[in-house]
Amino acid sequence: MSERRNNKRNPNKTNGPSKPVSKRPAKKRFSKSAENSADKPKTKDKAFDAKKIVTKMPKPANPDVIRLNKYIANSGVCSRREADSFIAMGLVTVNGKIINEMGYKVKLEDEVKYDGARINPEKKAYVLLNKPKGFATTTSEGKGRTVMDLVANATTSRIKPIGRLGRSTTGLLLFTNDIDISSKFTNSNKGIPRLFHIELNKNLRFEDFKQIQEGFRVDGKMVTVEEISYTDNNNKKEIGLRIKNTGNTILHTIFDHFNYEMERIDCVTIGHLTKKDLPRGHWKHLSALELNTLQMM
């Protein structure tokens, strides 16, 4: 009797073989309040963490602004470290002003010169478009459909059209961000000729043809062309006119002076560049041969 009582009092003592007891870790028991505090952070801490994260978020970079040394390095002149040295030496100007400040930031449209020569940080691109009717030759927004819409996917470089074609004018238009190439068109001494096919509202009289060919004065200014010809001897309304001016304003000046209206204007060639294999509304990148020839003109 006493032994049985002792067994009850001492659970570790057994009267015979027993099954092995699996040793499982005891479950931790938490009070309801403890569980809530462990699983859910306090409102104060959460608010503080969120505020801390917000204050540490970097401001988005402005894609239109770039450090001057990076601008110079991207143009292929030198490395960033060398660019810092050139800036310190006063060899770099921004919009005509010498900049010595390290970390100075410029816009992509700023005029940056190194040692007197203008530089460009973007990859040079040359795009030739066969312009259709109804598109304005401008880079400005809010002008309706523009030629920039037609070449939007041509390149990531900031290309601009060289010269202008009227909204109703069709034909070749060259785009580039190469300042040297652009200057070839605006150089008054040389320039690059463009050939236009023009259809007038009436036959061009031979007397007027000769005056245009020889040159004439409008408001005291001499107006000259490179070449003029009839495209069809049986139809004197269609004219081929070669000029070196970048715009088509001179075309209006010429034919307004002689009381003709231009019903159709089409730019057929730019220098040696033609519309061959380039349908209306399509563009292409200049080939290496086309670019080399253009650079030598």
Side-chain angles (χ1 to χ4, degrees):
M1 192 76 174
S2 60
E3 186 180 351
R4 192 175 293 173
R5 284 177 186 170
N6 290 336
N7 286 342
K8 285 183 180 178
R9 288 175 186 173
N10 187 359
N12 294 328
K13 188 174 181 181
T14 59
N15 292 328
S18 61
K19 294 180 181 180
V21 179
S22 61
K23 293 182 179 179
R24 294 181 180 176
K27 292 183 179 179
K28 293 182 180 179
R29 294 184 179 180
F30 298 94
S31 66
K32 196 171 183 181
S33 59
E35 287 178 355
N36 290 339
S37 62
D39 295 338
K40 299 179 182 178
K42 293 180 181 178
T43 308
K44 242 181 195 179
D45 294 340
K46 189 176 181 181
F48 175 79
D49 290 341
K51 188 176 179 182
K52 191 175 181 182
I53 292 170
V54 170
T55 54
K56 285 190 175 182
M57 286 180 65
K59 293 182 180 179
N62 186 348
D64 295 328
V65 176
I66 186 173
R67 288 173 69 97
L68 182 55
N69 62 350
K70 184 178 179 182
Y71 186 107
I72 298 169
N74 287 358
S75 68
V77 171
C78 59
S79 66
R80 282 203 202 184
R81 183 174 296 181
E82 290 171 328
D84 286 333
S85 300
F86 295 145
I87 293 170
M89 293 166 63
L91 296 176
V92 180
T93 63
V94 178
N95 299 327
K97 182 181 177 182
I98 295 175
I99 301 297
N100 298 111
E101 178 186 340
M102 294 297 116
Y104 187 86
K105 292 184 178 181
V106 295
K107 297 177 181 178
L108 292 177
E109 60 266 25
D110 286 339
E111 182 188 66
V112 179
K113 289 185 177 182
Y114 162 69
D115 201 18
R118 188 166 181 176
I119 57 178
N120 193 317
E122 296 177 318
K123 181 181 179 181
K124 292 180 181 179
Y126 311 88
V127 177
L128 186 65
L129 170 72
N130 189 351
K131 177 187 173 298
K133 280 186 178 181
F135 289 83
T137 306
T138 179
T139 56
S140 302
E141 297 180 357
K143 300 290 184 180
R145 296 190 303 174
T146 74
V147 292
M148 301 309 298
D149 298 325
L150 297 172
V151 297
N153 298 323
T155 177
T156 56
S157 298
R158 296 191 172 197
I159 54 175
K160 294 181 180 180
I162 299 177
R164 288 180 177 272
L165 295 180
R167 192 179 286 272
S168 61
T169 302
T170 60
L172 294 180
L173 188 63
L174 182 62
F175 297 75
T176 187
N177 59 344
D178 188 333
I179 300 164
D180 294 331
I181 291 294
S182 298
S183 64
K184 286 181 178 291
F185 286 84
T186 56
N187 189 315
S188 58
N189 296 326
K190 294 183 179 180
I192 293 178
R194 296 186 298 165
L195 176 62
F196 287 89
H197 181 189
I198 302 168
E199 185 176 344
L200 302 175
N201 63 327
K202 57 186 178 182
N203 289 339
L204 179 63
R205 297 186 307 162
F206 184 72
E207 294 82 0
D208 297 334
F209 179 95
K210 289 297 290 182
Q211 283 195 52
I212 296 171
Q213 188 178 49
E214 294 170 0
F216 59 95
R217 290 188 177 275
V218 176
D219 297 329
K221 294 182 179 180
M222 194 68 181
V223 178
T224 59
V225 301
E226 296 297 304
E227 183 184 353
I228 184 171
S229 63
Y230 293 112
T231 59
D232 187 347
N233 288 327
N234 297 322
N235 180 6
K236 300 296 177 66
K237 291 197 301 182
E238 295 192 22
I239 309 299
L241 191 66
R242 194 185 303 275
I243 60 174
K244 284 187 176 179
N245 305 67
T246 55
N248 62 351
T249 304
I250 189 173
L251 302 179
H252 293 277
T253 300
I254 292 170
F255 293 106
D256 287 349
H257 181 74
F258 293 101
N259 297 317
Y260 295 91
E261 293 180 10
M262 294 181 292
E263 295 184 341
R264 185 168 65 92
I265 309 172
D266 183 63
C267 184
V268 180
T269 65
I270 299 176
H272 62 292
L273 304 174
T274 70
K275 295 188 290 182
K276 184 181 179 182
D277 300 325
L278 189 61
R280 191 85 74 203
H282 288 68
W283 55 263
K284 71 169 188 176
H285 291 281
L286 295 190
S287 66
L289 179 60
E290 289 172 330
L291 177 58
N292 289 338
T293 307
L294 192 61
Q295 289 171 334
M296 291 187 293
M297 294 183 73

